[in-house]
């Protein structure tokens, strides 16, 4: 695992609660807002399980710590998106909180219903970008969630030891966290 | 086949590809000393993800030079690939694979400045 230069993290009084919100004007229409919320909640909860940080969705986008939106091409942050595949999303290091996904992608929740060859798993990318929001940079471990590339029609949502060690070194461990609890939740989510 | 260091093997290629990054497959097996039309675009890719500083001239060349080889070596190390310094198939398939837009090295002017653990 790796950190951003200077090892930035969210510095808050415990219990650390970070708020997040969706940009109502910059969402994709073919996945409902409720379903998108469910996917992101699952992605956030994977990080919540391992560190003493919790996430709460709020309505007020401008005041949220983490601000999520889907954008095409140029979108005002100097890092334009590039159409189908290529760059999928990006997020900014702490305590910036911006979290952008490329609206040109074919975002998918599963690959049974979505048959496109260029379908990209929304939950995998969400889980990866949340790692950036927390302060993790890219990992060179291919199995890790924080590895930079993700093949179309592939899913990678379960945090690996590399991801966990990295984020726990930044925030400490969730007192309820054990590796066996992690394996149990992996099994249940895979069955789901 | 050992190429003299500064001879250039010009590989005729079709420069028009539309899919994001898919066109980079044409640089397969290119190595130091080779010159391939459009390699400057691949160098922009490496620059975007933190492996190559933007030259003073603001223009990259199409020559696979020593500096670009260092960038390829750093990329291969960072992405957990075999470190060959060449655009082998593992490297090319990783380059064209969709990815996160965050730079692999958060300090642009250094080749490799994320703190690795």
């Amino acid at each position: 695992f790796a950190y951003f230069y200077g090892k930035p993290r969210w510095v808050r009084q415990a219990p650390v609660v970070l708020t997040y919100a969706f940009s109502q004007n910059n969402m994709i229409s073919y996945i409902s807002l409720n379903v998108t919320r469910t996917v992101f909640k699952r992605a956030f909860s994977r990080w919540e399980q391992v560190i003493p940080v919790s996430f709460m969705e709020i309505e007020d986008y401008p005041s949220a710590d983490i601000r999520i939106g889907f954008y095409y091409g140029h979108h005002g942050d100097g890092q334009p998106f590039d159409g189908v595949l290529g760059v999928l999303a990006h997020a900014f290091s702490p305590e910036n909180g911006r979290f952008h996904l490329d609206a040109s992608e074919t975002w998918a929740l599963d690959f049974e219903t979505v048959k496109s060859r260029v379908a990209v798993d929304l939950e995998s990318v969400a889980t990866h970008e949340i790692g950036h929001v927390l302060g993790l940079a890219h990992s060179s471990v291919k199995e890790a969630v924080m590895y930079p590339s993700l093949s179309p029609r592939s899913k990678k949502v379960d945090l690996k030891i590399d991801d966990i060690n990295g984020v726990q070194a930044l925030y400490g461990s969730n007192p309820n966290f054990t590796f066996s609890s992690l394996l149990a939740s992996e099994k249940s989510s895979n069955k789901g | 086949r050992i190429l003299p260091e500064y001879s250039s093997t010009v590989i005729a290629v079709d420069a028009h590809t539309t899919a994001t990054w898919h066109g980079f497959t044409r640089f397969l097996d290119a190595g130091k000393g080779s010159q391939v039309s459009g390699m400057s675009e691949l160098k922009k890719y490496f620059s975007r993800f933190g492996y190559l500083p933007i030259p003073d001239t603001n223009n990259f060349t199409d020559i696979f030079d020593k500096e670009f080889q260092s960038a390829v070596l750093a990329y291969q190390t960072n992405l957990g690939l075999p470190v060959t310094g060449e655009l082998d198939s593992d490297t090319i398939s990783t380059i064209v694979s969709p990815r996160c837009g965050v730079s692999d090295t958060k300090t642009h002017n250094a080749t490799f400045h994320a703190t690795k653990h």
Side-chain angles (χ1 to χ4, degrees), chain A residues 7 24 38 48 51 67 73 109 118-119 128 148 156 161 173:
Chain A
K7 207 173 173 182
Q24 299 296 325
T38 305
E48 280 176 334
I51 52 174
R67 298 175 303 287
L109 310 177
V118 294
H128 176 99
K156 190 195 285 187
I161 288 178
S173 172

Side-chain angles (χ1 to χ4, degrees), chain A residues 63-116:
Chain A
S63 73
D65 293 313
I66 303 165
R67 298 175 303 287
I68 305 165
F70 292 78
Y71 301 93
Y72 293 95
H74 287 274
H75 51 283
D77 61 11
Q79 315 239 347
F81 285 133
D82 53 6
V84 175
L85 298 184
V87 168
L88 303 174
H90 55 223
F92 291 70
S93 56
E95 297 190 21
N96 184 295
R98 286 179 291 176
F99 180 149
H100 302 156
L101 302 103
D102 189 345
S104 306
E105 307 306 342
T106 303
W107 294 103
L109 310 177
D110 66 78
F111 299 121
E112 279 79 43
T113 48
V114 180
K115 300 297 185 189
S116 167

Side-chain angles (χ1 to χ4, degrees), chain A residues 1-5 79-80 82 84-91 128-129 132 138-140 142 147-152, chain B residues 19-21 48-49 77-82 90 94 96-104 106-107 113-117:
Chain A
F1 56 81
Y3 302 121
F4 291 107
Y5 195 65
Q79 315 239 347
D82 53 6
V84 175
L85 298 184
V87 168
L88 303 174
H90 55 223
H128 176 99
E129 300 302 332
H132 285 319
H138 285 145
S139 170
S140 52
K142 287 187 180 167
Y147 189 72
S149 71
L150 178 74
S151 301
Chain B
T20 308
W21 300 339
R48 172 175 186 158
F49 295 112
T77 305
N78 248 353
L79 275 294
L81 299 167
D90 278 338
T94 304
V96 302
S97 184
R99 62 162 287 163
C100 169
V102 173
S103 162
D104 293 336
K106 268 322 284 171
T107 303
H113 228 202
T115 315
K116 276 285 173 185
H117 292 262

Side-chain angles (χ1 to χ4, degrees), chain B residues 73-95:
Chain B
L73 289 166
Y75 178 86
Q76 290 170 333
T77 305
N78 248 353
L79 275 294
L81 299 167
V83 182
T84 63
E86 300 208 342
L87 297 171
D88 49 64
S89 57
D90 278 338
T91 302
I92 287 288
S93 60
T94 304
I95 287 171

